[in-house]
């Protein structure tokens, strides 16, 4: 169990830090950025595959990577429609709920997971959901840079990408409704991205029960889907994609950090189960990202913001402690 909590802590730190390398660089509409990021993810997956002795490739695990990348691609139009603050809140909450429910209810054919103290786990989950709402009230100073990507980045940045095409012709209400729907869909994709691997482990005991043996298959799905989306994007752009050369290396470093976080999440899932790992790893990065925003990028200032953040930290830490204790015998 200690191994699982250590892995969860590494995941929280890396997810909360993975967009710090690109904070000061322009990422345009984010499509080129995510392709470079996903390239780094694949490299890390190959290294893990080599260390693990090249375990059998699992096509079903690849599907989980496709789910994650599809959710990640949706963040581009979401930010255009409703901004990063509200979008991050919505897809983060949907991600948290979907991952936790997958383990608790045994969705999509997964085995229902149990904890030693269900009441603590349920209450901790509800508190974790509440903590995501608190971060929404932070009003940052975004003069220091821009970043339009997702999943544990520096929280609540408010800049948006210039609208184009049919999005520019939509009414404010239509944009809000579509942005809400896409955010929920993105969160669902994020929340089920581990389900294919978990399904294999639940229903095929003869196959490896070590989540690390599925990392490469999963990351191949991420890279293949990302490459497909990037090619489609280039076609739609008339072979004139928005590319910022200075972003390439920082994006690759960002991808390395994300990969370390996700690999750690695989370890946490194997040792703690989804009902414990998901709430911790989906809420914890907000605390880390906020600390980057305060002490490094100077994007969060003022007594009111600090008061909100302290409240959010207390609520988040309370949720994490309760969820962790739900696996302990009293």
């Amino acid at each position: 169990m200690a191994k699982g909590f250590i892995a969860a802590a590494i995941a929280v730190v890396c997810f909360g830090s993975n967009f710090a390398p690109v904070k000061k660089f322009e990422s345009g509409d984010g499509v080129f950025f995510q392709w470079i990021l996903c390239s780094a993810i694949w490299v890390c997956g190959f290294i893990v595959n080599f260390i693990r002795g090249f375990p059998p490739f699992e096509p079903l695990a690849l599907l989980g990577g496709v789910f994650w990348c599809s959710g990640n691609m949706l963040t581009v139009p979401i930010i255009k429609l409703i901004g990063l603050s509200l979008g991050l809140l919505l897809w983060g909450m949907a991600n948290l709920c979907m991952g936790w429910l997958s383990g608790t209810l045994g969705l999509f054919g997964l085995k229902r997971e149990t904890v030693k103290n269900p009441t603590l786990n349920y209450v901790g989950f509800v508190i974790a959901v509440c903590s995501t709402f608190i971060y929404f009230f932070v009003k940052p100073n975004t003069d220091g840079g821009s970043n339009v990507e997702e999943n544990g980045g520096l929280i609540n940045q408010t800049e948006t990408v210039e609208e184009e095409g049919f999005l520019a012709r939509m009414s404010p209400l239509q944009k809000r409704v579509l942005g809400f729907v896409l955010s929920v869909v993105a969160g669902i994709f994020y929340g089920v991205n581990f389900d294919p691997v978990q399904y294999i482990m639940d229903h095929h005991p003869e196959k490896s029960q070590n989540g690390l043996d599925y990392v490469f298959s999963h990351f191949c799905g991420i890279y293949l889907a990302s490459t497909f989306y990037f090619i489609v994007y280039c076609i739609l752009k008339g072979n004139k994609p928005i590319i910022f050369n200075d972003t390439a290396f920082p994006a690759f470093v960002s991808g390395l950090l994300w990969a370390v976080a996700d690999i750690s999440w695989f370890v946490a899932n194997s040792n703690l189960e989804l009902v414990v790992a998901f709430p911790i790893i989906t809420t914890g990065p907000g605390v880390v990202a906020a600390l980057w925003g305060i002490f490094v990028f100077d994007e969060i200032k003022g007594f009111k913001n600090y008061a909100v953040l302290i409240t959010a930290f207390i609520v988040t830490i309370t949720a994490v402690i309760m969820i962790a204790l739900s696996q302990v015998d009293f």
Side-chain angles (χ1 to χ4, degrees), residues 30-45:
V31 180
F32 172 73
F33 170 84
Q34 67 85 31
W35 184 63
I36 297 296
L37 178 141
C38 292
S39 299
I41 290 171
W42 184 88
V43 170
C44 287

Side-chain angles (χ1 to χ4, degrees), residues 174-225:
Q174 290 173 325
K175 290 179 182 179
R176 197 168 184 84
V177 171
L178 180 59
F180 179 88
V181 172
L182 291 181
S183 295
V184 173
V185 172
I188 291 174
F189 276 136
Y190 290 140
V192 301
N193 86 95
F194 287 108
D195 288 2
V197 170
Q198 194 63 43
Y199 183 89
I200 295 172
M201 296 171 67
D202 285 349
H203 295 278
H204 297 279
E206 75 280 3
K207 295 187 177 182
S208 174
Q209 297 300 299
N210 190 327
L212 292 177
D213 290 336
Y214 303 96
V215 166
F216 182 65
S217 300
H218 185 84
F219 285 7
C220 279
I222 291 176
Y223 182 67
L224 289 174

Side-chain angles (χ1 to χ4, degrees), residues 115-161:
V115 293
K116 295 175 181 178
N117 194 322
T119 301
L120 269 180
N121 189 265
Y122 296 158
V123 174
F125 167 73
V126 172
I127 294 176
V129 171
C130 293
S131 72
T132 64
F133 283 97
I134 300 175
Y135 288 105
F136 180 69
F137 294 99
V138 176
K139 303 298 182 183
N141 165 37
T142 58
D143 294 336
S146 64
N147 170 30
V148 295
E149 277 293 313
E150 159 298 320
N151 205 11
L154 300 173
I155 63 170
N156 288 342
Q157 297 174 51
T158 57
E159 64 269 36
T160 59
V161 180

Side-chain angles (χ1 to χ4, degrees), residues 45 67 91 101 106 134 156 178 250 278 286 292 308:
F67 287 154
W91 75 58
L101 289 172
I134 300 175
N156 288 342
L178 180 59
F278 245 91
W292 277 99
V308 172

Side-chain angles (χ1 to χ4, degrees), residues 97-118:
C97 292
M98 201 68 203
W100 185 82
L101 289 172
S102 292
T104 302
L105 302 181
L107 301 179
F108 311 113
L110 301 184
K111 291 183 179 179
R112 296 185 63 174
E113 297 177 347
T114 58
V115 293
K116 295 175 181 178
N117 194 322

Side-chain angles (χ1 to χ4, degrees), residues 301-317:
K301 301 177 180 179
F303 176 79
K304 182 177 180 181
N305 277 336
Y306 292 151
V308 172
L309 280 177
I310 291 173
T311 302
F313 290 173
I314 293 173
V315 173
T316 300
I317 292 171

